[in-house]
């Protein structure tokens, strides 16, 4: 099988490329990535370029770039996106472009080149915030940030192409990912790398917002099952059924790194901050998938990866673009 992975130089895309090349010795992968600030070829430096893996630098909003990558592939898995909510609040244009027009461009290529399957990697954030209970696959979209609105736009385009043209689309909505290779602007790698450097961690508001977390390997297994056994036209939520507040999460990380609460710096809350996300995932369970990695174990593995890979993240956190961004983003209360 030949897979086109878009955004494969990012966090989850690169984890999935490792997973597939290790698990399926006969599979081939084409990775199409624009290499934005979040795309990093260091994530794939251990992978041999050759018959089984090809990298193409290109933009999913550009039909010519997509056409170069798509010929002969059996499936497209679209990981490419602008993904950071806080950056979408500062400037939303790239989000609308990549997450909506990029998705449209890929869907048009699926039609033109008769690609047999397209999998959209999306988020629970399209459903908005839920005080109690869980979002199901049929919950209405009520996005609250420019990021989630852009992802919702791309997901609607996928649904519309399937209904209108019969395009062979599967949509996935996942809870928050964590694990190796996550860019150190997202809460877990930001907090872990700050604490390793003996710096404080910037916690929004009182830390009461609640999130559901999935370890990279569990997400890769879910996409693997959907790739091989998922039904065209269906939507699959990918969750764990376990939620924790950002304050609880922070305390777990502090404990693991032997730091106390004095390392928490409370900062001005995110605008439009969703209070709680929670997912039910019955259709995925019926394909035989359940999460295997408990948060306490996953966070230990994640911390240990960042401790062992300082050279990987130091390069990123020392860039002027990154330090300027962090300084602008977190205003002390
Ligand atoms: N991180 C999470 O917690 C989470 C949760 C649910 C869903 N998702 C979704 O999963 C996917 C992957 O997320 P991630 O956290 O790994 O992202 P990431 O930000 O780490 O990586 C995104 C990748 O996409 C590439 N990219 C961006 N714009 C592009 C364009 N126009 N053309 C080609 N490549 C482009 C970047 O260079 C980068 O390599 C995204 O679609 C995201 O919306 C993420």
């Amino acid at each position: 099988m030949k897979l086109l992975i878009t955004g494969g130089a990012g966090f989850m895309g690169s984890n999935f490329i490792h997973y597939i090349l290790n698990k399926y010795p006969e599979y081939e992968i084409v990775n199409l990535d624009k290499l934005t600030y979040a795309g990093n070829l260091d994530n794939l430096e251990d992978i041999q370029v050759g018959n089984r893996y090809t990298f193409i630098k290109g933009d999913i909003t550009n039909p010519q770039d997509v056409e170069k990558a798509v010929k002969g592939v059996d499936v497209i898995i679209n990981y490419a996106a602008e993904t950071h909510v806080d950056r979408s609040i500062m400037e939303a244009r790239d989000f609308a472009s990549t997450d909506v027009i990029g998705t449209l461009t890929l869907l048009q290529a699926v039609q033109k080149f008769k690609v047999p399957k397209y999998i959209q990697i999306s988020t629970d954030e399209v459903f908005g915030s839920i005080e109690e209970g869980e979002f199901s696959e049929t919950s209405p979209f009520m996005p609250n940030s420019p990021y989630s609105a852009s992802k919702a736009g791309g997901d609607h385009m996928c649904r519309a192409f399937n209904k209108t043209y019969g395009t062979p689309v599967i949509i996935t909505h996942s809870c928050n990912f964590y694990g190796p290779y996550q860019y150190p602007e997202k809460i877990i790698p930001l907090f872990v790398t700050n604490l390793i450097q003996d710096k404080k961690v910037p916690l929004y508001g009182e830390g009461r917002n609640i999130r559901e977390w999935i370890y990279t390997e569990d997400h890769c297994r879910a996409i693997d099952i959907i790739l091989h056994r998922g039904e065209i036209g269906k939507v699959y939520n990918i969750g764990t059924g376990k939620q924790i507040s950002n304050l609880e999460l922070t305390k777990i990380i502090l404990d693991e790194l032997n730091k106390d609460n004095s390392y928490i710096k409370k900062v001005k809350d995110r605008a439009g901050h969703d209070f709680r996300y929670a997912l039910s995932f019955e259709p995925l369970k019926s394909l035989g998938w359940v999460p295997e990695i408990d948060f306490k174990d996953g966070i230990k593995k994640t911390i240990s990866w960042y401790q062992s890979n300082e050279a990987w993240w130091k390069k990123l956190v020392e860039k002027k673009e990154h330090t300027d961004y962090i300084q602008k983003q977190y205003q002390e209360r």
Side-chain angles (χ1 to χ4, degrees):
M1 191 181 302
K2 187 170 178 182
L3 314 181
L4 169 57
I5 306 294
T6 66
F11 162 46
M12 202 60 222
S14 61
N15 273 284
F16 190 70
I17 290 175
H18 281 109
Y19 173 95
I20 288 289
L21 291 176
N22 283 335
K23 180 161 178 194
Y24 299 104
E26 72 285 12
Y27 283 19
E28 292 171 37
I29 286 183
V30 179
N31 172 14
L32 174 67
D33 196 300
K34 183 179 171 183
L35 299 182
T36 66
Y37 78 98
N40 184 356
L41 291 178
D42 288 354
N43 299 1
L44 299 158
E45 67 176 2
D46 54 328
I47 290 173
Q48 301 256 314
V49 177
N51 294 344
R52 295 188 59 216
Y53 172 72
T54 316
F55 173 69
I56 298 176
K57 183 170 190 289
D59 188 332
I60 61 163
T61 67
N62 180 330
Q64 283 85 43
D65 288 353
V66 171
E67 289 192 9
K68 254 190 254 164
V70 83
K71 286 185 189 137
V73 305
D74 301 298
V75 55
I76 299 177
I77 309 183
N78 181 27
Y79 286 88
E82 287 293 338
T83 62
H84 194 41
V85 175
D86 292 328
R87 287 185 190 254
S88 80
I89 295 168
M90 283 179 186
E91 171 54 61
R93 189 161 290 274
D94 285 349
F95 288 75
S97 171
T98 291
D99 302 3
V100 185
I101 303 298
T103 301
L104 169 67
T105 310
L106 293 171
L107 291 166
Q108 287 175 330
V110 170
Q111 277 187 300
K112 185 168 171 185
F113 293 94
K114 301 198 173 11
V115 179
K117 198 180 279 178
Y118 173 94
I119 301 176
Q120 173 80 344
I121 304 296
S122 192
T123 167
D124 56 2
E125 300 189 29
V126 297
F127 301 123
S129 183
I130 190 164
E131 291 279 323
E132 280 174 12
E134 294 162 332
F135 291 119
S136 78
E137 287 73 7
T138 54
S139 296
F141 283 13
M142 294 181 76
N144 294 317
S145 73
Y147 162 65
S148 52
S150 305
K151 289 296 292 184
D155 298 353
H156 278 317
M157 203 59 87
C158 290
R159 178 190 155 90
F161 264 61
N162 175 257
K163 297 286 172 199
T164 307
Y165 308 110
T167 309
V169 164
I170 297 175
I171 300 172
T172 66
H173 299 292
S174 176
C175 62
N176 284 14
F177 314 144
Y178 71 103
Y181 299 112
Q182 188 166 29
Y183 190 86
E185 66 183 352
K186 304 272 168 63
I187 182 167
I188 290 180
L190 175 67
F191 283 19
V192 170
T193 57
N194 272 12
L195 292 170
I196 294 174
Q197 296 171 96
D198 205 38
K199 290 184 187 166
K200 292 189 177 189
V201 298
L203 185 66
Y204 283 135
E206 296 302 321
R208 280 197 282 261
N209 302 64
I210 292 168
R211 297 291 180 264
E212 187 163 321
W213 292 96
I214 185 164
Y215 190 65
T216 41
E217 219 172 284
D218 272 338
H219 191 268
C220 288
R221 281 195 308 103
I223 300 302
D224 182 6
I225 286 175
I226 291 167
L227 166 67
H228 293 96
R229 301 212 296 274
E231 209 180 297
I232 297 292
K234 265 206 126 163
V235 177
Y236 294 93
N237 284 350
I238 308 173
T240 58
K242 291 190 187 142
Q243 300 94 33
I244 57 169
S245 73
N246 287 343
L247 183 60
E248 288 171 282
L249 166 94
T250 306
K251 287 187 170 164
I252 293 172
I253 297 175
L254 287 168
D255 268 6
E256 287 295 330
L257 286 160
N258 300 315
K259 304 282 190 198
D260 60 28
N261 290 355
S262 68
Y263 278 83
I264 298 177
K265 178 172 88 177
K266 289 192 174 156
V267 294
K268 234 168 69 188
D269 208 353
R270 171 187 281 171
H273 204 172
D274 284 336
F275 175 63
R276 178 173 176 271
Y277 305 128
L279 286 176
S280 65
F281 48 97
E282 294 309 316
L284 186 55
K285 280 186 197 159
S286 71
L287 293 182
W289 181 90
V290 284
E292 286 177 358
I293 296 157
D294 187 65
F295 186 74
K296 286 236 160 104
D297 296 332
I299 200 73
K300 279 196 175 81
K301 287 184 192 215
T302 305
I303 292 173
S304 149
W305 188 86
Y306 283 89
Q307 283 170 323
S308 313
N309 288 278
E310 281 204 13
W312 179 89
W313 56 263
K314 281 230 162 115
K315 251 196 223 175
L316 303 175
V317 301
E318 283 166 3
K319 280 189 185 154
K320 184 168 173 352
E321 193 279 335
H322 180 80
T323 50
D324 288 352
Y325 164 76
I326 296 286
Q327 205 172 17
K328 195 163 151 203
Q329 183 56 35
Y330 299 109
Q331 311 286 330
E332 197 140 5
R333 285 198 298 155

